[in-house]
């Protein structure tokens, strides 16, 4: 559907309440369930394993303040979690100095061509956060490729297939002009180039002004890559992390087709509003139900817990058709 360019700002696009439905069992994972002493668990990558169970690769912050990754598995995706009895992937600063202050915020992409999961995560180096990549078949052993995007850069995920023969990685480098989403290409997952701006943070008073970043890996639909992104609003009492929606061209993923103006999900529940960092919802992963439409979105809540919300791909696309704009889609002109 084509949205007229002169369409006015839709300030009534408030149907977000019903777009993402919080699970009644939220938060579904907290530090209290951990088999070893930690500070908190949040921002988990997610995937559905071959046997239909859900795997979360959780960011776990220890009591020094440094993060590692730990796997939790569940048959139904919301309770009965089997948590690894010790860290699944620890920072390895001896061999990977960029991991000196921990590893954070993993995103998981299953890549059919490689028959492996590609995990991209933030490595917290002396120079700031960078993007690292590792491959795994089973979330027990990992082949690390090391840092692939130098600091400051984070919020990355790989697309599950090549585009025009090249692997494509979405990421968020920091620049003095703003923190925008970029996409880069590689022939081998090690050497990256052909960097393209994908989505700009807006400016001024917008909810997604100055700093945005990819949330879970993009969702491939017949209409395009459906992308949840987070916007960071700086306020006098701290930052507000909320979620927005955009759609990108399937074969040219740097081309934005539609972008919503208002956020579709923000911190409202107690466990999202108050924690180690107040007012944060931060999804890093999703799984798709067998119906091919229902998304299970796993998000960190207030940097303290993992919560689950459900959404319909059809519903999200309908919302974008009704509320998305082509005009204000990519560049932050306003
Ligand atoms: C971002 C990331 C996330 C974190 C969020 C809120 O910059 O570091 O891991 O959840 O800040 O603290």
């Amino acid at each position: 559907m084509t949205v007229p360019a002169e369409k006015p700002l839709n300030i009534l696009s408030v149907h977000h309440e019903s777009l993402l439905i919080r699970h009644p069992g939220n938060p579904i994972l907290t530090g209290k369930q951990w088999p070893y002493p930690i500070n908190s668990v949040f921002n988990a990558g997610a995937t559905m394993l071959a046997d239909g169970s859900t795997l979360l690769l959780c960011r776990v912050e220890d009591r020094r303040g440094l993060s590692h990754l730990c796997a939790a598995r569940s048959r139904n995706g919301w309770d009965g979690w089997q948590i690894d009895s010790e860290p699944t992937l620890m920072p390895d600063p001896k061999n990977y100095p960029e991991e000196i202050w921990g590893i954070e915020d993993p995103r998981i992409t299953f890549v059919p061509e490689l028959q492996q999961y590609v995990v991209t995560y933030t490595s917290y180096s002396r120079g700031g956060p960078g993007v690292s990549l590792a491959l795994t078949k089973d979330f027990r052993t990992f082949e690390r490729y090391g840092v692939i995007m130098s600091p400051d850069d984070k919020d990355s995920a790989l697309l599950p297939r090549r585009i025009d023969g090249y692997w494509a990685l979405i990421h968020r480098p920091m620049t003095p002009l703003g923190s925008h989403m970029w996409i880069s290409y590689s022939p081998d997952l090690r050497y990256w180039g052909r960097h393209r701006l994908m989505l700009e943070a807006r400016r001024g008073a917008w909810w997604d002004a100055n700093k945005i970043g990819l949330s879970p890996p993009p969702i491939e639909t017949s209409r395009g890559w459906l992308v949840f992104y987070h916007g960071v609003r700086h306020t006098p009492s701290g930052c507000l992390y909320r979620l927005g929606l955009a759609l990108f061209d399937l074969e040219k993923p740097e081309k934005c087709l539609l972008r919503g103006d208002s956020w579709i999900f923000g911190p409202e529940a107690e466990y999202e509003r108050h924690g180690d960092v107040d007012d944060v919802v931060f999804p890093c992963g999703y799984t798709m139900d067998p119906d091919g439409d229902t998304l299970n979105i796993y998000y960190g809540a207030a940097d303290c817990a993992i919560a689950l919300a459900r959404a319909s791909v059809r519903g999200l696309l309908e919302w974008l058709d009704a509320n998305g704009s082509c005009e204000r889609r990519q560049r932050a002109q306003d």
Side-chain angles (χ1 to χ4, degrees):
M1 173 181 159
T2 316
V3 180
E6 66 276 10
K7 187 174 167 248
L9 262 183
N10 189 353
I11 55 165
L12 297 178
S13 57
V14 289
H15 308 296
H16 54 273
E17 306 249 339
S18 55
L19 277 183
L20 268 76
I21 313 280
R22 288 173 177 82
H23 194 278
N26 275 350
I28 56 161
L29 271 173
T30 70
K32 289 200 187 87
Q33 287 151 271
W34 237 249
Y36 53 92
I38 64 168
N39 173 50
S40 54
V41 54
F42 51 112
N43 303 1
T47 194
M48 194 164 276
L49 298 173
D51 67 359
S53 62
T54 298
L55 178 137
L56 296 184
L57 192 59
C58 310
R59 170 176 174 188
V60 173
E61 191 181 287
D62 67 24
R63 294 184 181 191
R64 299 171 300 167
L66 308 190
S67 293
H68 62 266
L69 309 182
C70 185
R73 296 167 173 84
S74 158
R75 293 223 68 82
N76 63 14
W78 64 276
D79 74 356
W81 295 97
Q82 301 283 320
I83 302 166
D84 281 1
S85 56
E86 50 188 53
T88 309
L89 190 65
M90 276 296 273
D92 178 10
K94 209 166 151 215
N95 296 307
Y96 298 91
E98 66 275 6
E99 298 182 0
I100 184 142
W101 290 327
I103 56 178
E104 308 178 349
D105 301 355
R107 273 81 165 184
I108 302 170
T109 304
F110 181 72
V111 180
E113 182 186 325
L114 304 174
Q115 282 299 299
Q116 293 206 71
Y117 301 92
V118 173
V119 183
T120 55
Y121 55 93
T122 303
S123 39
Y124 198 166
S125 75
R126 285 184 201 277
V131 175
S132 289
L133 183 148
L135 277 75
T136 184
K137 290 192 165 86
D138 54 10
F139 294 93
R140 297 189 198 284
T141 58
F142 294 81
E143 185 188 354
R144 274 169 151 103
Y145 277 27
V147 73
I148 55 165
M149 291 289 165
S150 57
D152 269 0
D153 206 328
K154 53 162 67 171
D155 296 328
S156 70
L158 186 77
L159 297 192
R161 59 177 174 83
R162 295 175 193 254
I163 305 289
D164 257 343
Y166 289 87
W167 300 112
L169 183 91
I170 300 172
H171 56 115
R172 202 285 307 278
M174 298 264 270
T175 76
L177 290 181
S179 302
H180 311 305
M181 282 166 56
W182 288 69
I183 188 164
S184 303
Y185 294 90
S186 167
D188 57 5
L189 298 175
R190 287 187 189 273
Y191 297 94
W192 294 89
R194 231 174 82 204
H195 311 293
R196 298 271 188 280
L197 183 60
M198 193 174 173
L199 195 72
E200 263 189 55
R202 285 180 262 214
R203 298 159 73 93
W206 281 89
W207 70 274
D208 55 355
N210 305 319
K211 198 194 228 187
I212 59 169
L214 179 72
S215 282
I219 299 146
E220 189 165 8
T221 76
S222 57
R223 300 267 315 273
W225 298 101
L226 184 60
V227 164
F228 290 95
Y229 70 96
H230 56 265
V232 187
R233 174 84 184 271
H234 291 263
T235 80
S237 59
C239 290
L240 273 166
Y241 279 75
R242 302 187 183 109
L243 277 191
L245 206 58
L247 189 70
F248 295 84
D249 188 272
L250 278 180
E251 299 313 321
K252 205 168 181 270
E254 56 265 38
K255 185 175 171 208
C256 183
L257 304 174
L258 286 171
R259 178 185 195 170
D261 280 338
S262 59
W263 69 85
I264 57 160
F265 193 67
E268 286 172 21
E270 168 64 23
Y271 52 87
E272 299 160 353
R273 297 230 49 212
H274 301 295
D276 277 4
V277 182
D278 288 352
D279 291 317
V280 179
V281 290
F282 202 95
C284 290
Y286 72 90
T287 60
M288 176 77 83
D289 276 2
D291 65 9
D293 183 62
T294 308
L295 293 171
N296 303 293
I297 299 155
Y298 293 92
Y299 62 100
D303 283 11
C304 254
I306 295 173
L308 168 62
R310 292 211 166 105
S312 148
V313 170
R314 200 170 355 105
L316 295 168
L317 289 171
E318 278 169 12
W319 182 87
L320 264 182
D321 278 333
N323 299 292
S325 143
C326 300
E327 272 296 284
R328 286 180 293 274
R329 61 194 182 189
Q330 189 160 20
R331 300 278 169 174
Q333 295 135 334
D334 27 16

